[in-house]
Amino acid sequence: MKLIEVDRRQLLVGSAATALISALPRRARAGTPKKGGHFKIGVADYASQDSLDPANSDTRYQLYINWQLRNCLTEIGPGGKVVPELAESWEGSADAKTWAFTLRKGVTFHDGKTMTAKDVIYSYNMHIKEGSKSSAKPLVASIASMKADGDNKIIFELSSGNVGFPAIVSNYSLLIVPDGTTDFSKGNGTGGYMLEDFKPGISAMVKRNPNYWKADRAHFDSVELVCIKDATARMNALISGEIHAYNFVDPKTVNLLKSNDKIRIEQVASKAHYVFPMLTNAAPFDNNDVRMAMKYAIDREDMVKRVLHGLGTPGNDHPINAAYADFVPGLEQRSYDPDKAKFHLKKAGLSDFAVQLFVSETPFAGATDAAVVYKEHAAKAGINIEVVKTPEDGYWDDIWTKKPICASRWSGRSNVDAMLSLAYTDEGIKVGWNETFMNNDRVNKLVLEARAEFDAAKRAEKYGEVQKIINEEGGALTFAFADFVDASSAKIAHDELANEWDLDGGRASERWWFA
């Protein structure tokens, strides 16, 4: 099999990947990592119906605990680099349709069973099978077949080329579980921690796996996730020492926390973006002029200043920014223009327009404030927004993708293809993750073509056109890209932070330690 060459910013393939973990950039440590202690994390995003089924992973609570218990084939490290995890190396064919992953030897599940290629095949079939609603299904839909070449090698045959496949298999849902698993409640995996207790919507407890195959990870004796919806309550819990870290810091409190020498703000520029998604398949937002009016009726600079408190950058109604290797610059930044908003309303046959905007603090801290600020902006364009505050619990099931317009947040994905496929194509609609129900034939075609395109210039041309179509015709009012802003006790130490998810790529439990 011929080893393909791909931009190193996107992924590393073949034998070079094997040595990459030791070559990752590191920041100055607060001493050598040491084992011990009970680490408590305050989690903002959770639901009472959360489970340990990888195919049903929706919330941060699930993401964090699943990466405590299990591993993927690859991992996204600092700087967005794809590094080995359960796969120690990989190589692809010249057309990127065939990918061979060599698995680490001697890795065992918590119950003592040795991991083999059969476990990988079973785990991926959970997402591919008929009827699966896994968020990873669009990402693995192109897998035509999988076969084991002995116990420690698996070969994927894809129906179409995918140069970013090694990044795709790092997805938080594509965790490896033992062959034949149907009861996921025990949390049996290959991860650094073993399940002690799991109470959805309340807490979770794990203890260190004494046989973890990563000798330099999983430093804490035990880790506890504590579900705390209110941002102020999370802050107070950290200040009082009840927890050691929390996610989704309210931007209004950052300066207050910075003034406390016992607390550290963990801020990382990211792919995360804040969105008011509009359903393009139902009135009133099935009319693109109405959508354009909404887009021109928001002052993005003011939103970044007042809602994010400067901890981010203005969005431009598509999900890709410079944090992605395949970001295409040059698309004109949409600016606040009430007159243009009125123009589009008039084209839609409307002089005044009233709409309900459904929000809660579940998508992001400050979502309610963002809706209120937007209401101020839109009023100047003749748009009357009624902000409807909804219950926190059940928001993703009852509001998101159900109401004509609501608040949403994306943390981005491992590469451009993963982000676009999941949220802007017909593939994403099938599994319920395309939050605007955008279904544009040209976008669907371009995403498939770009996925298999090795030539960087040609790939950029395709992704640039997709960005433009989403910007001009899509239902995503993407008003800001937000830095990840977490808070931790000064007692915590770590290396350079990853920017794939908050709390060090979602893996703080594994990567951090008590100084």
Side-chain angles (χ1 to χ4, degrees):
M1 188 184 305
K2 182 180 178 181
L3 184 67
I4 64 173
E5 297 293 335
V6 184
D7 190 333
R8 284 180 60 86
R9 293 177 304 165
Q10 297 177 51
L11 56 104
L12 293 165
V13 297
S15 59
T18 308
L20 184 61
I21 285 180
S22 60
L24 282 176
R26 298 178 180 270
R27 73 171 181 87
R29 286 180 168 177
T32 303
K34 57 184 180 181
K35 304 292 185 183
H38 179 63
F39 182 42
K40 295 182 70 174
I41 302 174
V43 184
D45 179 28
Y46 57 88
S48 58
Q49 63 269 29
D50 284 345
S51 76
L52 294 175
D53 182 349
N56 295 328
S57 190
D58 292 338
T59 67
R60 290 301 194 283
Y61 174 77
Q62 291 171 289
L63 183 146
Y64 297 157
I65 193 169
N66 265 316
W67 267 332
Q68 291 170 353
L69 302 172
R70 296 158 176 151
N71 304 107
C72 300
L73 291 180
T74 64
E75 176 182 350
I76 303 297
K81 291 184 173 65
V82 182
V83 299
E85 195 166 30
L86 290 176
E88 65 180 12
S89 64
W90 53 85
E91 59 182 13
S93 61
D95 61 2
K97 286 186 177 181
T98 303
W99 287 92
F101 288 78
T102 300
L103 304 178
R104 297 182 186 278
K105 295 180 180 179
V107 175
T108 60
F109 291 99
H110 298 154
D111 64 1
K113 176 186 178 297
T114 299
M115 181 202 69
T116 70
K118 290 183 179 179
D119 301 306
V120 177
I121 291 172
Y122 178 82
S123 299
Y124 274 66
N125 274 329
M126 292 193 306
H127 306 277
I128 296 170
K129 67 183 180 182
E130 186 74 26
S132 169
K133 295 297 183 182
S134 169
S135 64
K137 189 169 185 177
L139 307 180
V140 295
S142 65
I143 296 178
S145 68
M146 297 176 283
K147 67 179 180 180
D149 182 4
D151 286 343
N152 297 103
K153 194 168 189 176
I154 180 169
I155 299 173
F156 294 91
E157 296 288 349
L158 310 183
S159 58
S160 58
N162 190 338
V163 298
F165 191 67
I168 294 297
V169 300
S170 72
N171 181 270
Y172 63 91
S173 290
L174 297 176
L175 300 148
I176 306 307
V177 300
D179 181 18
T181 300
T182 56
D183 179 6
F184 300 97
S185 63
K186 295 179 181 179
N188 189 21
T190 58
Y193 295 94
M194 304 168 71
L195 186 65
E196 289 276 277
D197 190 43
F198 179 70
K199 296 186 180 73
I202 302 173
S203 64
M205 183 84 74
V206 296
K207 65 179 181 180
R208 185 195 298 129
N209 175 8
N211 300 313
Y212 193 34
W213 57 274
K214 293 184 186 178
D216 62 341
R217 296 282 187 90
H219 305 292
F220 302 109
D221 288 334
S222 54
V223 181
E224 184 176 357
L225 301 179
V226 184
C227 298
I228 309 174
K229 188 67 70 174
D230 183 73
T232 301
R234 293 195 301 276
M235 178 183 71
N236 290 335
L238 179 64
I239 292 173
S240 67
E242 294 177 41
I243 60 175
H244 303 104
Y246 71 92
N247 67 343
F248 292 10
V249 173
D250 188 335
K252 297 193 296 290
T253 66
V254 168
N255 287 333
L256 173 63
L257 290 167
K258 283 182 177 179
S259 67
N260 188 329
D261 60 7
K262 295 182 180 180
I263 293 172
R264 183 172 56 228
I265 292 295
E266 310 286 3
Q267 181 180 347
V268 183
S270 77
K271 304 170 184 175
H273 48 284
Y274 292 170
V275 190
F276 292 134
M278 299 172 280
L279 301 185
T280 62
N281 62 341
F285 300 119
D286 55 350
N287 186 319
N288 192 44
D289 280 301
V290 177
R291 301 197 295 269
M292 290 297 286
M294 297 293 285
K295 292 175 183 179
Y296 278 113
I298 191 167
D299 187 334
R300 299 154 204 276
E301 297 280 355
D302 192 44
M303 294 292 276
V304 171
K305 179 181 178 181
R306 295 172 61 186
V307 178
L308 278 71
H309 292 257
L311 303 172
T313 56
N316 199 23
D317 301 329
H318 68 82
I320 310 303
N321 68 353
Y324 287 94
D326 279 321
F327 167 67
V328 181
L331 185 64
E332 183 179 356
Q333 174 65 52
R334 180 164 288 128
S335 58
Y336 180 46
D337 194 330
D339 289 334
K340 281 189 178 179
K342 291 177 181 178
F343 167 78
H344 284 286
L345 283 180
K346 186 176 181 180
K347 280 187 68 178
L350 302 169
S351 55
D352 292 297
F353 179 51
V355 64
Q356 291 181 316
L357 172 55
F358 293 81
V359 300
S360 81
E361 295 299 287
T362 293
F364 58 92
T368 305
D369 289 343
V372 171
V373 173
Y374 183 25
K375 175 183 174 73
E376 294 176 13
H377 300 158
K380 297 178 181 178
I383 299 173
N384 178 22
I385 293 177
E386 178 190 352
V387 178
V388 181
K389 189 75 164 64
T390 68
E392 304 296 326
D393 194 34
Y395 182 84
W396 297 117
D397 290 319
D398 301 331
I399 303 299
W400 183 67
T401 70
K402 308 293 192 306
K403 299 298 183 181
I405 183 170
C406 66
S408 181
R409 177 188 193 273
W410 287 79
S411 290
R413 288 299 184 268
S414 54
N415 61 11
V416 171
D417 173 55
M419 184 67 240
L420 295 176
S421 297
L422 197 57
Y424 294 90
T425 70
D426 54 349
E427 294 174 342
I429 291 175
K430 293 173 184 176
V431 293
W433 280 78
N434 182 333
E435 64 185 356
T436 65
F437 292 86
M438 181 178 187
N439 193 359
N440 181 291
D441 290 341
R442 180 65 177 163
V443 167
N444 296 336
K445 181 174 184 291
L446 286 168
V447 169
L448 285 173
E449 291 176 353
R451 182 183 298 164
E453 181 56 70
F454 283 104
D455 187 292
K458 292 180 180 178
R459 191 167 62 248
E461 183 179 351
K462 296 178 190 297
Y463 281 139
E465 185 178 346
V466 171
Q467 288 173 198
K468 189 172 188 294
I469 293 171
I470 294 174
N471 170 275
E472 294 179 349
E473 301 178 30
L477 199 172
T478 305
F479 62 87
F481 283 89
D483 294 347
F484 285 138
V485 183
D486 307 313
S488 71
S489 164
K491 297 178 181 178
I492 296 295
H494 54 73
D495 288 334
E496 181 184 359
L497 297 172
N499 68 346
E500 196 69 9
W501 297 92
D502 44 275
L503 286 176
D504 204 355
R507 296 174 182 254
S509 301
E510 178 175 294
R511 295 173 178 171
W512 296 8
W513 65 91
F514 282 118

